[in-house]
Amino acid sequence: MMMAVSGTALEICEVYDPYVREWKEGGGRVVGYSCVATPVELIEAAGLLPYRIKALGNPRTDLADGEMSLFNCSFCRSCLQLALDGTYDFLDGLIETNGCDHLRAMFENWQHNKNLPFFHYLKVPHFFRDDSLEYFRRELELLRKHLASHFDAPVEDDALKRAIEDWNLVRERWRELCSLRELPEPRVTGSEALALELAGSRMRGQDFAELLSSFIEERKKAPGKKPRARLMLCGPATDEVAWMEEMESLGAVVVADALCFGSRAFLHRPGTGGDPLEELAEGYLTSIFCPRMYKEYDKRRSYIMETAKRAGVDGAVYLYNKFCDLHGTDSVLVRRDLENSGIPVLVLEKEYSAAADLGRIKTRVQAFLERIGGGV
Amino acid sequence: MTLEKGYVMRPGENGFERAVGILEMVYKFAENVSDEAVEGAANFVFPELKNTVLGLLELPANRDLEIFFFQRLLELFWEAQRAQSEGKKLIFIPFTFPPELFWAFDSLFPLCTEIVSGAIVNICYGQGERFWDYAVSLGLPDSLCSGNTIGIASLLAGPGLKPDAIVYNTPGSCNPNAKIHAFAADYLGVPQFILEKPVDESPRGREQYYKYLLRFVRELEEWTGEELREERLREVMQRAYRAVDLYNEYWELKKARPCPVPNIFSMTLLVLRSQMWGREECVEVLQRMVDISKERLRKGEYTAPEEVARIYISYIYWLFDFYNYFTWMEKKGISILGDILAIHYFPPIDYSSKESMLRAYADIAFDYPMTRQMGGESISLRWVDDICYAAQDLGADACVFGGVHACKHTLGTISFFRRELMKRLGIPTLVLIGDVFDKRQTPMEIFQREVETFVDQVVSRKKAGRRRK
């Protein structure tokens, strides 16, 4: 479970990595979450470290397969495996969200088997409307209270506003990072961006913003290179840096993405002027660019089309794990709409972290690159 | 779409129209159909339809009821075909949505997607496989649910019936169901209406659901230009509650040993609830089901020499071969007591106002099968609670989980479910994975072999052990 972001202090990332270890050894507590609809600002304002659940390419699922079926998403099974084998025992609590059927099953099995001292179910509506917004705001209020009572850590408005500012800075830096990816000669690869996101998704906002800043400054000075093809990658929670590196090793660069572990995690823009919970509720609920949101396909399409055009992509790869009905179904519409606007699309369905899949997928990507004019 | 030789589709038709055309044969049967007539009919039709004919009609106890029921269903399908020309808006609804609300709108005609799929699968040559394959050829994942995808794909594939809108209510409780309905609306460019159930069983969650329902009704009213009238709603809900009384009687009859209710009635109840609840035909059919079962109880009639096992289907029936599922088990002395879709909670209803009736409807829909369990705060706990209740109340010896490969929520929690059921009730569960409408996933021969072994090796031995003690 290694990944590297060259030229930064971050060289190794594993589930329980030095950053988290240091935090724990300093007496800090860690709360896990999985879905980008979870406002990390609330966790952070309670003095806790938000940790986004990931599997970092863990291919083993034998323990999880005893609980979930082989018809369930292998990413969720892989994460559950790490819970069952004790890797995630450092967590002091977990926040469930109703992201998808697989995720809910993963959380339930986690809870039944590990009995975490703090478990909270954050219920996220499936559409944005005035009535669902009000419901979600109240959900955030309940989360705030539960965090405060369980961890004996009141979440004050001032602390929350500071956390919002810190994370808004992260989002701003992320956009800067994206602009470096989108240059004619990109300065940042897709796998580097993914590695940064994975690193940041277990950090405090302030530290993450600093990491991004130093990385950006370094890359601004570095020369870029014209890639063989400019790709956009769309899909769900994919935390396989090695997989993306393999794809980029064929000469393409992922210059833009609409990934859940990726740019989609940075689209929330809570305001800072009003009631922080209201700002958070609106900022998050309006910016969940996930197919789990209904009657919002037009919004997702616009976002994908605008990003693809701005980044000048030659083609798009829509990637999802087998049995992901949400992304699998959306992929049909995305492919139709991108191709209608002249952007070729390759849809890839794969198993999470399956080494056996890699050769097949590389062959398909290679053929796709040749098709879109990126052949050598 | 090219029509392959042998599918016998006529120009301008699609799966639904073809199913309706073939179903017209139910009017060819005389009253008091004889065994010979059933045998003749079964041998006259193509093999897949043969198993439907035999599944419905071979056992004399089912025969008159199923003919009567399918005649009513056919008439309803005809109404659906005429609806748009009569100025009504045709809407597709999933089987998770109580249909009575829509019957209360004069300008709407609800057609249940899964009933359309079921009709295609059990009536048409090829069992709808061509529509499933068509969906996959569009790029849709093969892990979607055939229950709705076959019906939806027939809409997308070619001529025939087209809805004016799509309605669904499973975001958050069943992704494949909600997603394919949303996809169809986006693909066809027709309006979509959503009723979301928050995964929140607190009073706040129920209240939110009620608010969402009022909004949903308002949106329908604006779209149709018709206000939901109190008087009309009362009429429909009163009819729905006459069916509720009969459903309660039906439930009580299931408790008798041996079970006097024919296995195939489980399917009949499912179709009634998903498509016809709130209509007079539903009451008529249910009344006959209850009368037949009472009469069998009175006479001590049971198809097999003895009731070998009382099985609760802990998820849903597989519905692509009535004969080799329902009839086969009945002949083996295996009584089917119900499935998750047979567990309904009907609150007391106050007919005094539109609001009070909509409150009751909101509770019905909140606790509707699958919405209640898979849309619960905990899928596994709500599911196991409800199956425990049903299995215990009806005296089940064992459960069979006929898993459906699309249903990731239950597949993701089945291990816990099985352990917990054994712990709470001492009831074993046979876990099988296949599909509700696509026999290619797991053929019925395998289902039969597994169930037979399970009943012989586990259930019967367990019962014998109990007797010895």
Side-chain angles (χ1 to χ4, degrees):
Chain A
M1 287 184 212
M2 291 184 65
M3 61 182 178
V5 178
S6 60
T8 72
L10 181 77
E11 292 294 339
I12 296 174
C13 183
E14 53 192 333
V15 170
Y16 189 40
D17 74 325
Y19 183 93
V20 185
R21 195 170 307 222
E22 197 180 317
W23 175 267
K24 287 283 287 188
E25 284 167 3
R29 289 167 295 183
V30 185
V31 171
Y33 69 99
S34 177
C35 176
V36 292
T38 313
V40 287
E41 293 87 341
L42 266 174
I43 304 171
E44 199 165 305
L48 309 163
L49 181 67
Y51 187 105
R52 187 166 178 198
I53 301 301
K54 47 184 84 71
L56 296 178
N58 163 47
R60 290 195 58 187
T61 57
D62 51 309
L63 296 174
D65 293 346
E67 302 297 327
M68 297 173 80
S69 82
L70 297 179
F71 290 91
N72 286 112
C73 162
S74 40
F75 172 68
C76 290
R77 283 187 281 131
S78 193
C79 290
L80 181 62
Q81 173 83 15
L82 297 174
L84 299 181
D85 74 8
T87 303
Y88 271 117
D89 280 355
F90 65 88
L91 290 180
D92 297 286
L94 197 58
I95 297 173
E96 175 180 3
T97 40
N98 46 336
C100 70
D101 297 344
H102 303 278
L103 209 57
R104 289 191 301 144
M106 178 194 86
F107 276 119
E108 289 196 17
N109 283 299
W110 195 320
Q111 193 185 9
H112 291 321
N113 285 284
K114 298 303 278 192
N115 200 20
L116 283 156
F118 174 83
F119 187 87
H120 185 92
Y121 196 163
L122 176 69
K123 290 121 187 169
V124 185
H126 285 81
F127 47 78
F128 172 73
R129 239 171 33 191
D130 52 354
D131 48 2
S132 63
L133 177 62
E134 175 50 34
Y135 179 82
F136 189 51
R137 191 213 169 281
R138 177 76 182 128
E139 275 297 301
L140 298 189
E141 183 70 48
L142 291 173
L143 173 60
R144 172 166 152 159
K145 279 187 182 158
H146 196 185
L147 284 167
S149 66
H150 180 84
F151 292 103
D152 195 20
V155 183
E156 305 292 353
D157 275 3
D158 285 349
L160 191 50
K161 283 180 179 173
R162 274 197 304 277
I164 292 174
E165 282 167 11
D166 286 347
W167 280 95
N168 278 348
L169 187 61
V170 167
R171 291 167 190 126
E172 207 175 292
R173 294 284 174 270
W174 186 265
R175 284 192 288 278
E176 274 186 67
L177 183 84
C178 287
S179 64
L180 292 180
R181 296 170 71 186
E182 292 170 5
L183 290 170
E185 293 184 348
R187 309 277 174 89
V188 181
T189 65
S191 41
E192 286 171 332
L194 176 57
L196 278 164
E197 150 63 349
L198 293 176
S201 65
R202 58 40 158 152
M203 292 172 103
R204 303 269 295 177
Q206 204 174 21
D207 293 342
F208 189 20
E210 277 174 25
L211 171 67
L212 285 170
S213 296
S214 61
F215 185 83
I216 289 165
E217 286 313 309
E218 180 199 294
R219 286 310 170 92
K220 274 181 181 169
K221 296 172 204 152
K225 188 182 165 192
K226 191 173 181 333
R228 175 181 169 187
R230 300 169 66 82
L231 294 181
M232 179 169 183
L233 191 59
C234 307
T238 298
D239 66 1
E240 296 161 280
V241 179
W243 188 90
M244 188 131 38
E245 280 173 346
E246 289 286 350
M247 196 154 82
E248 293 188 317
S249 74
L250 298 170
V253 169
V254 177
V255 297
D257 73 78
L259 293 172
C260 186
F261 267 115
S263 296
R264 265 169 41 193
F266 299 96
L267 296 170
H268 322 298
R269 292 179 193 186
T272 49
D275 167 55
L277 273 193
E278 266 171 34
E279 301 279 14
L280 275 180
E282 186 164 353
Y284 271 77
L285 198 57
T286 51
S287 305
I288 304 171
F289 286 75
C290 173
R292 57 99 56 200
M293 299 298 279
Y294 288 86
K295 288 181 89 168
E296 294 193 4
Y297 174 69
D298 289 349
K299 198 165 102 177
R300 292 195 291 279
R301 177 180 55 201
S302 301
Y303 161 64
I304 290 172
M305 300 287 261
E306 281 164 21
T307 306
K309 281 180 183 158
R310 192 180 59 241
V313 303
D314 302 308
V317 177
Y318 198 108
L319 170 82
Y320 66 94
N321 287 328
K322 181 79 187 156
F323 308 119
C324 178
D325 300 311
L326 292 175
H327 283 86
T329 304
D330 242 31
S331 75
V332 179
L333 299 172
V334 171
R335 183 175 63 181
R336 178 194 68 183
D337 294 332
L338 279 172
E339 291 196 335
N340 282 346
S341 69
I343 299 171
V345 178
L346 171 67
V347 176
L348 287 175
E349 184 188 61
K350 64 183 252 320
E351 284 287 11
Y352 179 77
S353 197
D357 249 9
L358 196 57
R360 173 181 72 85
I361 284 170
K362 278 181 80 172
T363 304
R364 292 192 63 194
V365 172
Q366 177 82 24
F368 181 64
L369 293 179
E370 286 168 15
R371 178 187 151 206
I372 63 176
V376 283
Chain B
M1 180 177 187
T2 312
L3 300 179
E4 291 173 40
K5 192 178 173 188
Y7 281 106
V8 215
M9 297 276 185
R10 294 176 292 209
E13 282 193 343
N14 210 321
F16 178 71
E17 288 76 12
R18 193 67 199 125
V20 171
I22 296 170
L23 190 54
E24 286 174 11
M25 73 186 277
V26 296
Y27 275 108
K28 308 284 184 205
F29 290 107
E31 283 191 13
N32 301 320
V33 182
S34 65
D35 291 347
E36 289 74 20
V38 172
E39 189 185 342
N43 286 317
F44 180 72
V45 298
F46 43 85
E48 295 99 324
L49 185 54
K50 178 178 181 175
N51 287 350
T52 304
V53 171
L54 288 175
L56 298 173
L57 306 182
E58 189 192 71
L59 300 178
N62 313 336
R63 204 169 282 165
D64 290 346
L65 183 277
E66 293 303 336
I67 291 175
F68 178 77
F69 165 61
F70 272 89
Q71 286 174 347
R72 302 294 81 76
L73 187 62
L74 175 62
E75 286 156 7
L76 186 141
F77 284 164
W78 282 337
E79 264 189 72
Q81 288 181 311
R82 290 194 308 268
Q84 286 163 318
S85 65
E86 290 174 354
K88 292 189 176 190
K89 289 185 185 296
L90 182 69
I91 54 170
F92 267 52
I93 64 167
F95 74 110
T96 46
F97 219 133
E100 49 268 35
L101 176 68
F102 305 104
W103 294 125
F105 280 90
D106 290 325
S107 56
L108 288 178
F109 195 98
L111 194 53
C112 176
T113 312
E114 289 80 3
I115 300 300
V116 172
S117 297
I120 293 171
V121 167
N122 288 287
I123 296 173
C124 291
Y125 184 82
Q127 297 209 272
E129 287 172 6
R130 65 202 309 259
F131 297 114
W132 174 260
D133 295 347
Y134 178 77
V136 174
S137 77
L138 288 178
L140 288 166
D142 59 7
S143 57
L144 284 174
C145 175
S146 63
N148 25 62
T149 301
I150 287 175
I152 294 285
S154 73
L155 291 178
L156 309 179
L161 201 75
K162 288 282 179 287
D164 295 298
I166 305 260
V167 166
Y168 53 99
N169 66 340
T170 55
S173 55
C174 180
N175 289 153
N177 182 317
K179 202 64 192 168
I180 192 66
H181 283 92
F183 172 82
D186 283 323
Y187 198 86
L188 294 169
V190 298
Q192 51 187 304
F193 298 94
I194 314 177
L195 176 61
E196 176 181 2
K197 180 201 168 194
V199 282
D200 180 348
E201 291 165 355
S202 70
R204 186 173 77 98
R206 283 193 181 264
E207 191 56 28
Q208 185 69 18
Y209 189 62
Y210 178 63
K211 281 186 199 166
Y212 282 159
L213 173 68
L214 294 184
R215 179 84 164 245
F216 175 81
V217 169
R218 205 160 60 239
E219 285 178 353
L220 284 180
E221 288 176 331
E222 283 166 11
W223 179 62
T224 57
E226 178 197 355
E227 190 190 344
L228 178 63
R229 288 183 296 116
E230 183 178 317
E231 195 182 323
R232 175 84 175 125
L233 182 62
R234 186 175 296 116
E235 189 186 309
V236 171
M237 292 307 283
Q238 282 174 340
R239 266 203 301 272
Y241 267 72
R242 280 167 58 210
V244 170
D245 290 341
L246 290 164
Y247 163 81
N248 289 335
E249 272 194 75
Y250 170 90
W251 183 272
E252 290 302 313
L253 283 161
K254 287 255 179 185
K255 292 179 183 173
R257 291 173 186 265
C259 180
V261 183
N263 280 352
I264 193 70
F265 284 8
S266 301
M267 178 279 299
T268 317
L269 176 68
L270 171 60
V271 179
L272 290 174
R273 187 65 189 102
S274 311
Q275 180 64 70
M276 298 165 108
W277 214 262
R279 289 172 61 108
E280 193 58 37
E281 309 92 297
C282 174
V283 178
E284 288 171 19
V285 175
L286 259 173
Q287 182 68 62
R288 288 177 186 228
M289 286 164 63
V290 167
D291 291 345
I292 290 167
S293 304
K294 273 185 182 168
E295 187 62 8
R296 277 166 63 84
L297 178 64
R298 193 181 65 76
K299 291 181 179 167
E301 282 180 2
Y302 189 71
T303 299
E306 65 165 326
E307 187 177 52
V308 177
R310 296 168 65 81
I311 297 288
Y312 207 90
I313 305 294
S314 57
Y315 191 46
I316 58 177
Y317 315 118
W318 289 355
L319 293 164
F320 54 82
D321 186 341
F322 296 161
Y323 184 62
N324 283 303
Y325 190 92
F326 296 105
T327 312
W328 177 80
M329 282 200 259
E330 192 161 322
K331 285 178 169 178
K332 287 273 172 195
I334 302 170
S335 301
I336 300 176
L337 301 178
D339 72 348
I340 196 171
L341 303 177
I343 306 173
H344 290 276
Y345 297 87
F346 295 105
I349 185 166
D350 168 6
Y351 297 110
S352 63
S353 70
K354 186 170 156 181
E355 189 199 336
S356 63
M357 289 184 281
L358 284 175
R359 284 265 175 200
Y361 179 84
D363 282 341
I364 293 169
F366 192 91
D367 288 323
Y368 204 72
M370 285 190 70
T371 306
R372 173 180 161 89
Q373 296 88 7
M374 281 73 243
E377 275 194 53
S378 166
I379 302 166
S380 48
L381 292 176
R382 177 57 62 217
W383 181 27
V384 81
D385 283 351
D386 286 353
I387 296 296
C388 274
Y389 153 72
Q392 193 166 34
D393 198 44
L394 299 179
D397 306 312
C399 283
V400 171
F401 170 79
V404 172
H405 77 289
C407 303
K408 318 303 186 301
H409 33 55
T410 35
L411 290 172
T413 50
I414 180 60
S415 297
F416 172 82
F417 173 89
R418 177 158 61 173
R419 286 196 300 267
E420 194 66 14
L421 199 72
M422 180 57 101
K423 200 162 74 186
R424 291 190 196 182
L425 297 184
I427 288 182
T429 299
L430 171 67
V431 174
L432 292 168
I433 296 176
D435 192 69
V436 63
F437 280 146
D438 189 346
K439 66 176 180 294
R440 294 173 295 184
Q441 292 283 341
T442 302
M444 207 52 91
E445 290 77 8
I446 292 179
F447 176 86
Q448 290 182 348
R449 196 167 63 213
E450 296 293 327
V451 169
E452 195 163 25
T453 307
F454 176 66
V455 168
D456 288 350
Q457 302 294 318
V458 180
V459 183
S460 298
R461 284 187 184 193
K462 198 160 177 284
K463 282 171 84 173
R466 268 206 305 266
R467 278 199 294 271
R468 276 200 297 276
K469 281 176 196 168

